[in-house]
């Protein structure tokens, strides 16, 4: 049974953390209505307290559970705001989670371009994180979107990538359940599309659904149980196992009605109607499609309605009931036109909110830049660098390598003395541009002193560390040469600029902390200057 909080249930003792914990517990057991109400209370408390971390989580919980309840526009609004708050916090994991939810909301609203844009943003961020849970979940959600759009080959590749992430371990049973379910649903979607799906794939889909059902029973989540049963029953029907399909779908139907999962109930009704149509029991199919139309109208599922009218028209044709067939076709075309209008209206409503959120996002980003950006070069400042380096090391894999490099402009005081500080500032600005062009987007690059810059990058641990060390030496030497070979006469005639670089490369799993690495790189920088400047010195520090 659904357990809705009673009015006034959020007492003074129910602080935000407690509400969030109770909402997550409700979500896990499939009580989405009660969980959503708790999450909405948490949103109000967190917003009033200015607690962005709690607000971001609460908004994601609202989005997640509103999706399950079929309140998709509300889910999209909550998802958009969750992305904004996560960006304000600089929380990449939170951004990925929110974008994954938002992409699914857009998909359910038939806003396919927005769904793809959101999931692509999510993938870009997820690939920078060493978090198999988020990475696998992101590839999984991307596969679901591609499957729903009929791009089955791309969906299969994305599910394979999700599976590879899961194979490494460290993921929850919920993530495994989602991949099993969505991979099974891919087979269902292919079969629904009219493609010829071989028996082996249909049996594999049933097996995946049964494995998902075991996980759903383990956590006692009736929604997941009903979803697994729906996939299994649908595929059993395609296999011609009528008795198994009927029993399985009947169990799924009972769960959906007991717990109020009306979106899933529509899915069960549609499966039963389509099975009757495949069996050429057209009169039965017409009756079942009438049930689909009634419930889909109540839950405002226009895509299911359109399919139901189209299939009903085909059944009437097979029965020789051409007047009824024509009426069903007309309703189908009218609905298609209405759906396009409604989709445009939804897009306009959400776009207005998105524009507002974009303005807020821009304002928040501007404030963030003032705190963490060097105003002269546009690079990160020392404050940002000091926060980013330990965080980067903490989030890296044990097998990764890290390179910390310090770069200093040679004889910079002479530049200021000979040409003035305005020219010195222009030199630093141009150096910032050169360095940005030479480093990867995911590297940390900062101006940490007057004419001193720092670069940190993570590298996958290879079998031959010496090859990687040689590669870093070449990469940094290319940067040094680019500075030296730049035509500085464009700034002021007679100006020539060179830099010295000291860099260390070591395993993340070693004992060196951020301060140790900076100290070692600084020693090499000093040695490069003492050796004549305009050069790069690197060293590989053995992991202790």
């Amino acid at each position: 049974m659904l357990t809705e909080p009673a009015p006034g249930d959020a007492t003074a003792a129910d602080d935000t953390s407690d509400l969030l914990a109770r909402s997550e517990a409700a979500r896990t057991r499939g009580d989405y209505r009660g969980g959503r109400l708790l999450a909405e209370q948490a949103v109000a408390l967190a917003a009033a307290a200015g607690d962005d971390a709690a607000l971001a989580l609460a908004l994601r919980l609202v989005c997640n559970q509103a999706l399950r309840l079929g309140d998709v526009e509300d889910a999209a609004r909550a998802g958009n705001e969750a992305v904004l708050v996560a960006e304000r916090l600089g929380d990449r994991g939170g951004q990925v989670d929110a974008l994954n939810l938002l992409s699914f909301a857009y998909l359910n609203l038939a806003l396919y371009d927005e769904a793809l844009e959101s999931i692509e943003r999510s993938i870009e961020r997820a690939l920078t994180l060493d978090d198999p849970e988020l990475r696998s979940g992101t590839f999984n959600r991307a596969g679901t979107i591609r499957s729903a759009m009929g791009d089955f080959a791309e969906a299969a590749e994305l599910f394979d990538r999700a599976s590879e992430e899961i194979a490494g371990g460290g993921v929850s049973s919920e993530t495994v359940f989602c991949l099993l379910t969505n991979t099974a649903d891919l087979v269902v979607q292919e079969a629904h599309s009219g493609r010829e799906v071989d028996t082996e794939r249909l049996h594999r889909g049933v097996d995946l659904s049964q494995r998902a059902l075991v996980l759903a029973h383990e956590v006692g989540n009736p929604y997941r149980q009903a979803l697994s049963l729906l996939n299994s029953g649908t595929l059993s029907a395609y296999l011609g196992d009528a008795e198994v399909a009927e029993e399985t779908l009947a169990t799924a139907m009972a769960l959906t009605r007991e717990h109020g999962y009306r979106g899933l109930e529509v899915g069960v009704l549609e499966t039963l109607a389509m099975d009757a149509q495949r069996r050429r029991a057209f009169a039965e199919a017409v009756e079942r499609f009438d049930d689909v139309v009634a419930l889909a109208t109540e839950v405002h599922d226009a895509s299911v309605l359109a399919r139901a009218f189209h299939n009903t028209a085909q059944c009437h044709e097979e029965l020789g009931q051409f007047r009824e067939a024509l009426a069903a076709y007309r309703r189908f075309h009218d609905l298609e036109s209405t759906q396009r209008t409604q989709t445009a209206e939804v897009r306009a409503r959400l776009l207005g909110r998105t524009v507002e959120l974009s303005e807020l996002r821009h304002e928040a980003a501007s404030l963030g830049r003032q705190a963490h950006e060097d105003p002269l070069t546009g690079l990160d400042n020392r404050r940002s660098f000091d926060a980013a380096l330990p965080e980067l090391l903490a989030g890296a894999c044990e097998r990764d390598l890290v390179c910390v490099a310090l770069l200093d402009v040679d004889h910079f005081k002479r530049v200021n003395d000979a040409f003035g500080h305005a020219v010195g500032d222009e030199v630093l600005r141009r150096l910032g541009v050169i360095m940005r062009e030479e480093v990867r987007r995911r590297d940390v690059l900062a101006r940490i002193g007057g004419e001193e810059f720092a670069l940190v990058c993570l590298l996958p641990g290879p079998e031959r560390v010496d090859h990687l060390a040689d590669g870093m030496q070449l990469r940094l030497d290319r940067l040094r040469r680019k500075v030296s070979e730049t035509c500085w006469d464009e700034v002021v005639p007679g100006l020539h600029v060179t830099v010295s670089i000291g860099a260390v490369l070591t395993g993340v799993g070693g004992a060196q902390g951020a301060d140790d690495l900076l100290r070692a790189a600084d020693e090499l920088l000093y040695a490069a200057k003492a050796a004549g400047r305009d050069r790069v010195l690197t060293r590989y520090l053995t992991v202790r």
Side-chain angles (χ1 to χ4, degrees):
M1 295 292 293
L2 295 176
T3 55
E4 297 186 22
D9 191 43
T11 64
D14 289 325
D15 61 11
T16 309
S17 297
D18 180 57
L19 288 167
L20 290 171
R22 290 164 58 199
S23 176
E24 174 61 18
R27 185 192 71 83
T28 301
R29 65 176 180 268
D31 179 7
Y32 300 123
R33 192 175 304 281
R36 176 183 173 180
L37 290 172
L38 289 164
E40 287 173 342
Q41 292 174 31
V43 167
L45 286 179
D51 185 349
D52 275 354
L55 179 60
L57 178 54
L59 285 166
R60 296 202 298 273
L61 281 167
V62 171
C63 180
N64 189 313
Q65 296 178 94
L67 277 169
R68 302 301 185 192
L69 293 167
D71 299 329
V72 188
E73 275 197 63
D74 288 346
R77 292 188 186 94
N80 249 317
E81 293 187 22
V83 173
L84 169 64
V85 178
E87 288 178 344
R88 190 161 67 222
L89 288 167
D91 176 9
R92 291 207 157 217
Q95 292 173 44
V96 170
D97 193 21
L99 285 166
N100 286 349
L101 291 166
L102 180 60
S103 67
F104 201 57
Y106 282 144
L107 177 66
N108 279 270
L109 291 165
L111 301 178
Y112 300 116
D113 289 342
E114 289 82 355
L116 288 173
E117 191 271 338
S118 295
I119 201 63
E120 286 170 2
R121 286 170 62 196
S122 184
I123 290 173
E124 179 183 340
R125 287 158 175 76
L127 289 175
T128 69
L129 302 172
D130 181 33
D131 188 331
E133 183 91 28
L134 280 175
R135 289 163 70 108
S136 60
T138 302
F139 288 130
N140 186 17
R141 183 54 52 82
T144 303
I145 291 171
R146 289 293 185 180
S147 174
M149 296 176 66
D151 192 348
F152 302 129
E154 177 69 15
E157 290 181 11
L158 288 162
F159 288 144
D160 285 343
R161 294 186 70 179
S163 183
E164 289 170 6
E165 293 288 341
I166 287 176
V171 300
S172 67
S173 63
E174 180 177 355
T175 296
V176 177
F177 168 85
C178 290
L179 180 60
L180 291 171
T181 300
N182 292 332
T183 307
D185 185 65
L186 174 61
V187 183
V188 171
Q189 295 303 322
E190 288 186 71
H192 280 346
S193 72
R195 290 190 178 194
E196 189 68 32
V197 181
D198 61 56
T199 302
E200 183 180 349
R201 273 181 56 73
L202 292 171
H203 277 298
R204 180 171 181 269
V206 172
D207 177 63
L208 292 169
S209 300
Q210 292 299 319
R211 289 163 58 190
L213 182 60
V214 171
L215 294 177
H217 277 298
E218 286 177 357
V219 297
N221 187 312
Y223 184 92
R224 297 180 196 172
Q225 293 169 29
L227 183 56
S228 303
L229 289 164
L230 172 57
N231 282 338
S232 181
T234 302
L235 293 169
S236 294
Y238 275 107
L239 283 165
D241 297 337
E243 185 176 343
V244 172
E246 183 178 352
E247 181 181 348
T248 305
L249 292 170
T251 306
M253 178 70 80
L255 283 168
T256 61
R257 288 178 172 170
E258 178 185 355
H259 296 279
Y261 304 142
R262 308 190 78 195
L264 278 185
E265 185 180 348
V266 171
V268 177
L269 290 173
E270 185 179 29
T271 293
L272 292 169
M274 292 176 69
D275 180 54
Q277 185 178 7
R278 277 196 310 277
R279 291 187 283 106
R280 302 188 66 77
F282 297 116
E284 177 190 344
V286 168
E287 291 182 9
R288 291 190 178 276
F289 278 123
D290 286 345
D291 292 337
V292 173
V293 168
L295 186 54
T297 300
E298 288 184 30
V299 299
H300 308 292
D301 193 331
S303 59
V304 171
L305 268 176
R307 286 198 301 270
F309 285 132
H310 190 269
N311 289 336
T312 298
Q314 292 178 334
C315 292
H316 280 306
E317 281 187 340
E318 294 288 347
L319 292 168
Q321 299 168 345
F322 300 112
R323 181 174 298 176
E324 291 85 349
L326 179 59
Y329 275 125
R330 283 175 175 168
R331 294 191 70 182
F332 166 70
H333 289 298
D334 288 345
L335 187 62
E336 273 200 322
S337 176
T338 301
Q339 188 176 358
R340 283 194 294 271
T341 301
Q342 290 175 342
T343 299
E345 290 173 350
V346 169
R347 179 177 278 113
R349 284 196 297 271
L350 291 176
L351 180 60
R353 180 60 176 154
T354 301
V355 169
E356 179 184 343
L357 289 173
S358 297
E359 291 173 352
L360 290 172
R361 189 176 291 121
H362 177 75
E363 180 182 346
S366 178
L367 291 173
R369 284 195 298 272
Q370 291 176 21
H372 299 285
E373 184 180 284
D374 171 48
L376 181 63
T377 63
L379 304 178
D380 288 348
N381 59 19
R382 181 63 190 248
R383 175 182 176 183
S384 179
F385 178 79
D386 286 344
L389 178 54
E391 183 179 319
L392 187 72
L393 295 175
C397 292
E398 184 79 12
R399 64 182 180 273
D400 286 345
L401 299 175
V402 61
C403 175
V404 177
L406 295 180
L407 177 150
D408 192 85
V409 182
D410 295 327
H411 300 301
F412 187 67
K413 185 175 182 302
R414 295 182 186 176
V415 174
N416 280 332
D417 291 345
F419 303 105
H421 287 280
V423 171
D425 287 349
E426 181 61 22
V427 167
L428 296 176
R429 273 193 291 268
R430 294 203 176 199
L431 272 175
V433 173
I434 293 171
M435 294 184 72
R436 271 196 300 268
E437 291 174 349
E438 289 295 312
V439 306
R440 303 171 305 178
R441 289 180 59 186
R442 60 181 179 272
D443 295 340
V444 176
L445 176 62
R447 179 189 176 201
I448 61 172
E451 67 270 22
E452 190 172 16
F453 298 82
L455 169 66
V456 183
C457 49
L458 286 179
L459 305 158
E463 294 181 4
R464 294 289 304 276
V465 172
D466 55 340
H467 286 179
L468 192 56
D470 290 343
M472 282 305 304
Q473 172 77 33
L474 291 172
R475 180 179 165 193
L476 292 171
D477 200 57
R478 183 174 66 242
L479 170 60
R480 178 199 62 80
R481 289 198 312 274
K482 187 167 183 179
V483 173
S484 178
E485 293 168 1
T486 293
C487 181
W488 294 98
D489 278 343
E490 294 177 359
V491 178
V492 64
L495 176 63
H496 183 63
V497 177
T498 62
V499 296
S500 299
I501 303 174
V504 292
L505 182 70
T506 189
V508 170
Q512 294 90 351
D515 291 341
D516 295 329
L517 294 173
L518 285 170
R519 191 177 302 110
D522 192 58
E523 290 173 359
L524 287 170
L525 174 60
Y526 181 81
K529 286 184 171 292
R533 296 181 171 81
D534 191 20
R535 66 194 61 217
V536 178
L537 292 183
T538 60
R539 179 186 303 157
Y540 175 69
L541 301 181
T542 304
V543 175
R544 296 196 292 273

